[in-house]
Each structure stands twice: as C-alpha cells, then as structure tokens.
Amino acid sequence: MDLLEYQAKELFREMGIPVLPSQRIDRPKDLKGLTIPYPVVLKSQVYIGGRGRVGGVRFVENTIDAVAAAQTIFNLPIMGEYPKVLLAEAKYNADREFYLAVVLNRSIRRPVLLGSQQGGIDVQAAMDQMQHVIVEREFSPYYARRLALKMGLQGDLMISVASILEKMYRLFVQKDLDLVEINPLGVSPSEAVMALDGKVTVNDDALARHPSLAALLETQDKASFEPLTELPVMMEADGQIGILCNGAGLTMATMDLICQAGGKPASFLNIGGETQWNSSPDGLRQRLERGLELMTQTRQVRVLLVNLVSSLIPCDEIAKVITAFLRHRIRELRGVSEIRPDTLITHTLRIPQMVVRLVGSECDRAKTQLANAQVTIVDTLDDAVAQTIVLAKSVARNS
Ligand code: GDP
Ligand code: MN
C-alpha cells in the first residue's frame, strides 16, 4: 500500500532527506493558523500521481487566496478520489527537477536505484533519460555515487544527489519498502536539493514488523475511491497503435484482433472493468480521462483505438468525456504552438487519430458528438479493427 505524500515526507525528514517546512491542513480554515511564510504551495493528498496536471497543486501568496484555493482542492476529485487532507508547504525555487527512486525488482530479487535529470510531470521525458544501478551485493555508498555519475552529474551536486540516494536506500531497507520515490527532486540555482514530492510503497507482508507504518495505513479508507492504478503496457517499440479498453478480457481480445489483422500495437491500457471495481459513474469518467491522458502521452501511439462496454453510464456520456479531453488537448497544443511552432509535431502533446467503438445505451447520440470531434466512430469491433489498421498504415506512410 502507498503512503500519502505528507506521510512519506515525515519518513524522509526522520531520515535526514531534505524536505521543506510543511503543515497538514484538515479544513480550509486551518490556513488561518499557518506558520509557514508565504508564498506557499497547497497540495491535494491523494494516492494517485499527476496532481500537478489537473489542478491539485496550487501556489498562493496570502491567506485569502490560500483559503479559496484549499476549498477548490478539497472539492476536486483526482481520478475519482477526493482528498481528506492537504499539505501546505513553503514554495521552493527550483530551476531543475530530477527523478530519483529505489525500487524492489521482483524478477531479479534485488533493489534497483533509478535516476533521471528530467524529473517532474513529463513522465515520458523522465523515462527517456532514466539511468539505473542494480544493488547486486551488500549496499555501499559506491552504488549511489555510480548512479549519480550515470545521471551525468558532477562535483558537489553529484555528491548531494548520491547522499540522498543513500538515505533513500536506508529508508527502503529499514522499513521493508517496495518503493521510495522522489519526483521531483528540486535543484535550486545554487544547486541545493530538496524533495518536493515523495512516494512510498509499503510491503504489506512486512507490516507486522513495522507497527508505526501499520498505524499510518489503518487510518486509510480505500473503499471511497477507485484510482486508475494500471499503466499502459508497452508492446513493440516500432508499433503505432494504442488500445484503451475497460476490462481485461476486452483488452486482450481487442489486442489479439489487432495483431491478427497485421497491426502493430505500441501499448495497451485496461482502465478497469465494471465488475471487478467498486465502480461508480464518476469513477469511470475519471479513469477514462486519465487513461486518455496516459495513452496520448506515449509518443509512439499515433492511432488510438478506444473500445468500451459501459452499463454504468450511457455512451453519450462517454463521448462527452472524449470530446472534452480532445478540446482541452487542442487548446494546450495551440498554447504550445504559439510559443514554439516547431514543437507541435514532435511533442508529447501530439493528439493521435482516434477510432472509437462503444457498446451501451444512447449510442446514436454518442455518434453525433464524436463525428463533430473528428473521431472515427464505428459500430462493430471488426470495423474498429479494420479502421485502426487503415489509419495506422496511412500514418506509417506519411512519417
Ligand atoms: P504530482 O503531479 O502529483 O506528481 O505532484 P508534485 O508534487 O510532483 O507536483 C507537481 C509539480 O509541481 C512538480 O513537478 C513541481 O514542478 C511543482 N511543485 C511541487 N511542489 C513545489 C514546490 O514546493 N516548489 C516549486 N517551485 N514547485 C513545486
Ligand atoms: Mn510528483
């Protein structure tokens, strides 16, 4: 199970990993008693990442703005999850953001140190630059320094990053953790480093040995939300097709049909079936939104096949989520292109061509909506597969 950011940061603080002064906020009016000087950052405490992108992280300059922003964040579900608390933290002036992690690799049964100079909210950029070092024998500071060097760091910054990695590793071992992640590690203009966000995954089987962690987790109520915990599964490096479905069976069947028809999937994502989740209409909307975001962040995906079977909400509601998502993306793209027209085609913000097949009620309405949004909408799965292959071929020809 995961800890919330403020809980992870408590562990960091105990371990001597640099964190900013912060205060837990249980209700907006707590901000009137804030002891941290402004400017302050307010952060939604939810289990899902990507809060920055959707308005769950806000900077404020004074108490009036802080109370208003807190109200907004408390009422903003992230992937269907409402925060129960916020974290108020001093603002940090970072001009670079790194990614650092210590993770248990179960297939080789060893801890691995991970690091990238491209941390922050662009996951793809971090992945492109990711370096790793496997801790093959008993840990020594040498492993941490090797990773910092592989990341391309030198001098004092190399030493301070290595020292943080060492502390992360010690925390990882002491508390039997599955993951300790800092993203971003803020680097100031004078090369001071600060953990701006933290993620800790506890090994549930080791909880008996760690009563303090068990106590933290006991206060969690997991039934009230349904985050999208899955990530797109990467397939072929030269594939161009993305597949987004709800339910494992549907996902696999769609994938098989695409492959049989000669298509090359780049990745697929199951946003969760209706039966295995304690599903709510809102949860489905949020998971679809998040799924679209994740799939369109993957650069290889040039054609996205969305195949959903819904009894929770009518198809026109699903179509609404898709069109709203596209409208938002197009606005973002325009924003980018106004600044740097050349980044338009190559960037992660690129919008793939979409083929959509929906099963459920109100399908005709959905069709009208999606046709206006320049999305190919089809009735049968066979048609969806055929259309996807046609588009993928034309994309491959044009690139
Ligand atoms: P996430 O989007 O859920 O991973 O939330 P983060 O805590 O990583 O915050 C998102 C982004 O907000 C970060 O990548 C930073 O760019 C920025 N951020 C968060 N906290 C601070 C802070 O204290 N100071 C500054 N300057 N930026 C911050
Ligand atoms: Mn983060």
mmCIF file of all heavy atoms in Angstrom, residues 7 15 24 32 83 108 122 126 231 234 246 255 265 309 315 378 381 383:
data_model
loop_
_atom_site.group_PDB
_atom_site.id
_atom_site.type_symbol
_atom_site.label_atom_id
_atom_site.label_comp_id
_atom_site.label_asym_id
_atom_site.label_seq_id
_atom_site.Cartn_x
_atom_site.Cartn_y
_atom_site.Cartn_z
ATOM 1 N N GLN A 7 2.878 11.800 4.580
ATOM 2 C CA GLN A 7 3.398 10.708 5.412
ATOM 3 C C GLN A 7 4.785 10.281 4.927
ATOM 4 O O GLN A 7 5.696 10.032 5.732
ATOM 5 C CB GLN A 7 2.433 9.524 5.361
ATOM 6 C CG GLN A 7 1.054 9.869 5.925
ATOM 7 C CD GLN A 7 0.014 8.791 5.649
ATOM 8 O OE1 GLN A 7 0.054 8.128 4.617
ATOM 9 N NE2 GLN A 7 -0.914 8.623 6.575
ATOM 10 N N MET A 15 14.776 10.608 8.244
ATOM 11 C CA MET A 15 15.977 10.005 7.655
ATOM 12 C C MET A 15 17.007 11.048 7.262
ATOM 13 O O MET A 15 18.111 10.716 6.845
ATOM 14 C CB MET A 15 15.514 9.204 6.423
ATOM 15 C CG MET A 15 16.489 8.237 5.860
ATOM 16 S SD MET A 15 17.255 7.172 7.062
ATOM 17 C CE MET A 15 15.987 5.974 7.306
ATOM 18 N N ARG A 24 0.027 20.078 7.842
ATOM 19 C CA ARG A 24 -1.124 19.337 7.358
ATOM 20 C C ARG A 24 -2.378 20.181 7.520
ATOM 21 O O ARG A 24 -2.574 20.803 8.572
ATOM 22 C CB ARG A 24 -1.218 18.060 8.202
ATOM 23 C CG ARG A 24 -2.254 17.106 7.744
ATOM 24 C CD ARG A 24 -2.318 15.984 8.727
ATOM 25 N NE ARG A 24 -3.717 15.744 8.999
ATOM 26 C CZ ARG A 24 -4.196 14.566 9.360
ATOM 27 N NH1 ARG A 24 -3.381 13.558 9.548
ATOM 28 N NH2 ARG A 24 -5.477 14.421 9.564
ATOM 29 N N LYS A 32 -5.718 29.735 8.287
ATOM 30 C CA LYS A 32 -5.586 30.985 9.036
ATOM 31 C C LYS A 32 -4.511 30.879 10.102
ATOM 32 O O LYS A 32 -3.931 31.870 10.509
ATOM 33 C CB LYS A 32 -6.931 31.371 9.654
ATOM 34 C CG LYS A 32 -7.902 31.777 8.551
ATOM 35 C CD LYS A 32 -9.265 32.175 9.076
ATOM 36 C CE LYS A 32 -10.158 32.510 7.900
ATOM 37 N NZ LYS A 32 -11.569 32.322 8.193
ATOM 38 N N PRO A 83 -9.488 14.461 -1.773
ATOM 39 C CA PRO A 83 -8.505 14.473 -0.687
ATOM 40 C C PRO A 83 -9.187 14.667 0.664
ATOM 41 O O PRO A 83 -10.163 15.408 0.753
ATOM 42 C CB PRO A 83 -7.628 15.677 -1.021
ATOM 43 C CG PRO A 83 -8.522 16.593 -1.788
ATOM 44 C CD PRO A 83 -9.455 15.704 -2.559
ATOM 45 N N ILE A 108 14.410 -9.942 -10.479
ATOM 46 C CA ILE A 108 15.804 -10.279 -10.149
ATOM 47 C C ILE A 108 16.031 -10.307 -8.633
ATOM 48 O O ILE A 108 17.124 -10.573 -8.162
ATOM 49 C CB ILE A 108 16.805 -9.300 -10.807
ATOM 50 C CG1 ILE A 108 16.479 -7.842 -10.443
ATOM 51 C CG2 ILE A 108 16.819 -9.462 -12.317
ATOM 52 C CD1 ILE A 108 17.539 -6.850 -10.884
ATOM 53 N N ASP A 122 6.455 15.419 -16.707
ATOM 54 C CA ASP A 122 6.515 14.756 -18.006
ATOM 55 C C ASP A 122 7.179 13.384 -17.854
ATOM 56 O O ASP A 122 8.397 13.244 -17.874
ATOM 57 C CB ASP A 122 7.285 15.625 -19.007
ATOM 58 C CG ASP A 122 7.254 15.054 -20.411
ATOM 59 O OD1 ASP A 122 6.832 13.884 -20.569
ATOM 60 O OD2 ASP A 122 7.639 15.763 -21.353
ATOM 61 N N ALA A 126 11.211 11.769 -18.459
ATOM 62 C CA ALA A 126 11.985 11.132 -17.392
ATOM 63 C C ALA A 126 12.424 9.740 -17.831
ATOM 64 O O ALA A 126 13.577 9.349 -17.634
ATOM 65 C CB ALA A 126 11.150 11.048 -16.113
ATOM 66 N N LEU A 231 -0.884 1.135 -15.618
ATOM 67 C CA LEU A 231 -0.182 1.985 -16.562
ATOM 68 C C LEU A 231 -0.244 1.305 -17.919
ATOM 69 O O LEU A 231 -0.434 0.097 -17.986
ATOM 70 C CB LEU A 231 1.276 2.134 -16.125
ATOM 71 C CG LEU A 231 1.492 3.062 -14.943
ATOM 72 C CD1 LEU A 231 2.932 2.988 -14.489
ATOM 73 C CD2 LEU A 231 1.103 4.488 -15.297
ATOM 74 N N MET A 234 3.676 -1.467 -22.471
ATOM 75 C CA MET A 234 4.367 -1.191 -23.724
ATOM 76 C C MET A 234 4.514 -2.488 -24.506
ATOM 77 O O MET A 234 4.834 -3.525 -23.942
ATOM 78 C CB MET A 234 5.758 -0.605 -23.465
ATOM 79 C CG MET A 234 5.739 0.668 -22.634
ATOM 80 S SD MET A 234 4.615 1.908 -23.254
ATOM 81 C CE MET A 234 5.570 2.504 -24.653
ATOM 82 N N ASN A 246 -12.039 -1.166 -21.340
ATOM 83 C CA ASN A 246 -12.342 -1.409 -19.923
ATOM 84 C C ASN A 246 -12.598 -2.896 -19.702
ATOM 85 O O ASN A 246 -13.458 -3.484 -20.331
ATOM 86 C CB ASN A 246 -13.505 -0.535 -19.430
ATOM 87 C CG ASN A 246 -14.806 -0.780 -20.166
ATOM 88 O OD1 ASN A 246 -14.812 -1.267 -21.286
ATOM 89 N ND2 ASN A 246 -15.910 -0.440 -19.524
ATOM 90 N N MET A 255 -6.705 -6.590 -28.495
ATOM 91 C CA MET A 255 -5.294 -6.690 -28.817
ATOM 92 C C MET A 255 -5.040 -7.829 -29.806
ATOM 93 O O MET A 255 -4.336 -7.662 -30.803
ATOM 94 C CB MET A 255 -4.644 -6.971 -27.470
ATOM 95 C CG MET A 255 -3.306 -7.291 -27.551
ATOM 96 S SD MET A 255 -2.406 -5.804 -27.544
ATOM 97 C CE MET A 255 -1.056 -6.652 -26.962
ATOM 98 N N PRO A 265 0.679 -3.096 -32.207
ATOM 99 C CA PRO A 265 0.350 -2.278 -31.036
ATOM 100 C C PRO A 265 1.612 -1.682 -30.412
ATOM 101 O O PRO A 265 2.625 -2.355 -30.323
ATOM 102 C CB PRO A 265 -0.293 -3.271 -30.063
ATOM 103 C CG PRO A 265 -0.473 -4.539 -30.816
ATOM 104 C CD PRO A 265 0.477 -4.521 -31.971
ATOM 105 N N VAL A 309 -17.163 -1.002 -23.154
ATOM 106 C CA VAL A 309 -18.506 -1.537 -22.921
ATOM 107 C C VAL A 309 -18.976 -0.947 -21.594
ATOM 108 O O VAL A 309 -18.344 -1.150 -20.569
ATOM 109 C CB VAL A 309 -18.470 -3.077 -22.819
ATOM 110 C CG1 VAL A 309 -19.861 -3.621 -22.524
ATOM 111 C CG2 VAL A 309 -17.919 -3.673 -24.104
ATOM 112 N N CYS A 315 -23.560 5.868 -23.491
ATOM 113 C CA CYS A 315 -22.442 6.142 -24.401
ATOM 114 C C CYS A 315 -22.244 7.626 -24.660
ATOM 115 O O CYS A 315 -21.126 8.082 -24.881
ATOM 116 C CB CYS A 315 -22.647 5.421 -25.722
ATOM 117 S SG CYS A 315 -22.587 3.649 -25.528
ATOM 118 N N VAL A 378 -17.338 3.729 -34.884
ATOM 119 C CA VAL A 378 -17.830 2.545 -35.600
ATOM 120 C C VAL A 378 -18.687 1.688 -34.677
ATOM 121 O O VAL A 378 -18.599 1.799 -33.451
ATOM 122 C CB VAL A 378 -16.647 1.705 -36.134
ATOM 123 C CG1 VAL A 378 -15.940 2.418 -37.253
ATOM 124 C CG2 VAL A 378 -15.683 1.382 -35.013
ATOM 125 N N LEU A 381 -16.761 -4.346 -33.557
ATOM 126 C CA LEU A 381 -15.346 -4.477 -33.224
ATOM 127 C C LEU A 381 -14.534 -4.743 -34.491
ATOM 128 O O LEU A 381 -13.435 -4.229 -34.649
ATOM 129 C CB LEU A 381 -15.180 -5.609 -32.198
ATOM 130 C CG LEU A 381 -13.782 -5.819 -31.642
ATOM 131 C CD1 LEU A 381 -13.155 -4.529 -31.169
ATOM 132 C CD2 LEU A 381 -13.818 -6.832 -30.506
ATOM 133 N N ASP A 383 -15.138 -3.651 -37.490
ATOM 134 C CA ASP A 383 -14.942 -2.368 -38.162
ATOM 135 C C ASP A 383 -13.885 -1.535 -37.458
ATOM 136 O O ASP A 383 -13.067 -0.877 -38.093
ATOM 137 C CB ASP A 383 -16.248 -1.549 -38.154
ATOM 138 C CG ASP A 383 -17.178 -1.992 -39.271
ATOM 139 O OD1 ASP A 383 -16.714 -2.781 -40.125
ATOM 140 O OD2 ASP A 383 -18.343 -1.566 -39.263
#
